[in-house]
Amino acid sequence: MSIPRLATLSVLTSLCLAPPAHTAEFRSTYSETLNCPVVDEGDDAYIRECIGPGNVRAVLQYVEGLFGVFYLSMGGETPLQREDMLEISPNARHPYGKMLEWRQRTGDAAPCVAIIRAYTTKGEVLVLNELSTGNRIALVKTNQQARTLADRACSKSTARATAAEAESAPSIQPPALPTENSSVASAARTGKERFMRIYIQTGISGAIEEIEQCYRDFDRQPSPAKLAECGAIDLTGADADRSLMGGMPDLQQTYLANDRPSGRIAAGMDKLGLDETARKAFNNELKTSIGISVAASRQTKQEGGSVFHFSK
């Protein structure tokens, strides 16, 4: 089943999740998977990201007849392996259902369980994930089974952020750019934080745009602090994309793959005229600040073209 970019998933009727029954303790909200943006695509493969309550993101992956889902930024830190994915029926018109259900306690800002329907070789199943750990709870057949298990898991969950706390939390804004006097370590930490906030808002494509803009700013006003900030965004983005695409390197962003971030950092050090001693000190401070090493190889050629190049 080959599904092109922005493929239209047909509207479900009787196959959709049923409207939630009213309870005093739990409630459901929904994301329409058709409205979730396609963030990556390839030959017989694509990925959507759906943002739910509390900025929880569902990553819906379809790859060569397999479907998998995991959740950020709560417990879904482990890369999704092919053995964790479900085999989709060759007769299915689409791999998963129109609605993604977020189950949460009344008054909580974030959901505790997510439910999505998948059309597998063994029939239709509802896939449940407990969000505080990211673990799959079960595969069940009916809405009632799914709700019963979801509410039981929600009752055991210890995460109880209130809606009032969420409303009082500061809005997500990119941090201020470091000044020329900022240290490399401080600028690197700012870059890592900048990546995380942009990534939560826009996903990996928005983060790549942020990296490109940062290097343009560096070209206009080169400084070690600015290079440290750009390098931290670049390396953190590559590390996140590598984890996201665990076991499926063909879907990794070309812009972030291999040693390209290290090559851009090396080109920046060329521009600053750093000698070998200064380069090693810069790289060590960057690694200490963000916990990611700069690769030894150097690639000074400028990157260009579209972000998504799956043919390469």
Side-chain angles (χ1 to χ4, degrees), residues 10-302:
S10 63
V11 176
L12 304 181
T13 54
S14 60
L15 300 184
C16 294
L17 295 178
H22 175 75
T23 68
E25 189 176 0
F26 302 105
R27 65 188 180 95
S28 291
T29 55
Y30 298 86
S31 295
E32 294 188 20
T33 56
L34 180 60
N35 292 335
C36 299
V38 175
V39 296
D40 277 332
E41 64 172 341
D43 185 16
D44 199 24
Y46 66 92
I47 297 175
R48 291 183 186 269
E49 285 189 8
C50 300
I51 299 178
N55 279 331
V56 180
R57 287 207 322 280
V59 181
L60 310 176
Q61 299 181 249
Y62 171 80
V63 182
E64 298 176 348
L66 301 175
F67 165 64
V69 56
F70 67 99
Y71 298 87
L72 300 170
S73 55
M74 300 182 74
E77 304 296 340
T78 303
L80 196 65
Q81 304 298 325
R82 294 184 76 93
E83 56 265 27
D84 298 322
M85 303 178 79
L86 301 172
E87 186 176 0
I88 298 302
S89 169
N91 298 322
R93 297 177 61 187
H94 30 253
Y96 46 80
K98 175 189 174 186
M99 306 302 292
L100 170 61
E101 180 176 2
W102 306 99
R103 194 69 170 162
Q104 60 197 111
R105 288 182 297 264
T106 301
D108 281 6
C112 39
V113 172
I115 308 170
I116 190 168
R117 189 179 297 276
Y119 300 96
T120 76
T121 53
K122 298 181 180 179
E124 298 176 28
V125 295
L126 291 166
V127 185
L128 283 73
N129 284 73
E130 199 274 320
L131 296 178
S132 67
T133 62
N135 293 335
R136 182 187 294 173
I137 299 174
L139 303 176
V140 299
K141 290 291 187 180
T142 71
N143 292 327
Q144 187 57 51
Q145 289 173 325
R147 293 276 170 73
T148 298
L149 290 176
D151 293 353
R152 185 181 303 163
C154 286
S155 298
K156 295 178 180 179
S157 176
T158 59
R160 295 196 61 88
T162 65
E165 289 171 339
E167 291 172 0
S168 65
S171 59
I172 297 174
Q173 297 294 336
L177 301 182
T179 66
E180 289 300 310
N181 294 325
S182 298
S183 68
V184 168
S186 176
R189 288 191 293 269
T190 297
K192 183 174 182 178
E193 181 184 1
R194 183 175 171 183
F195 167 79
M196 295 305 297
R197 294 189 178 191
I198 292 297
Y199 187 58
I200 289 171
Q201 289 178 307
T202 64
I204 198 65
S205 59
I208 289 174
E209 292 176 1
E210 196 76 6
I211 295 167
E212 293 173 328
Q213 182 60 54
C214 189
Y215 282 121
R216 285 193 290 268
D217 294 340
F218 168 79
D219 285 338
R220 286 192 292 269
Q221 291 185 313
S223 72
K226 192 62 181 177
L227 180 60
E229 181 192 9
C230 300
I233 305 172
D234 210 351
L235 291 170
T236 308
D239 187 63
D241 192 49
R242 188 163 47 247
S243 295
L244 184 70
M245 295 295 105
M248 292 173 284
D250 290 345
L251 289 183
Q252 189 176 353
Q253 297 286 349
T254 300
Y255 184 82
L256 298 171
N258 301 320
D259 294 335
R260 286 176 172 83
S262 297
R264 289 186 284 270
I265 294 170
M269 290 192 285
D270 288 343
K271 192 177 186 70
L272 293 172
L274 302 185
D275 60 21
E276 287 303 315
T277 300
R279 288 172 183 269
K280 289 180 180 178
F282 182 93
N283 288 344
N284 287 337
E285 198 161 3
L286 198 57
K287 177 182 177 181
T288 300
S289 301
I290 65 174
I292 304 172
S293 299
V294 181
S297 63
R298 295 175 54 189
Q299 176 184 342
T300 58
K301 181 179 178 181
Q302 294 293 321

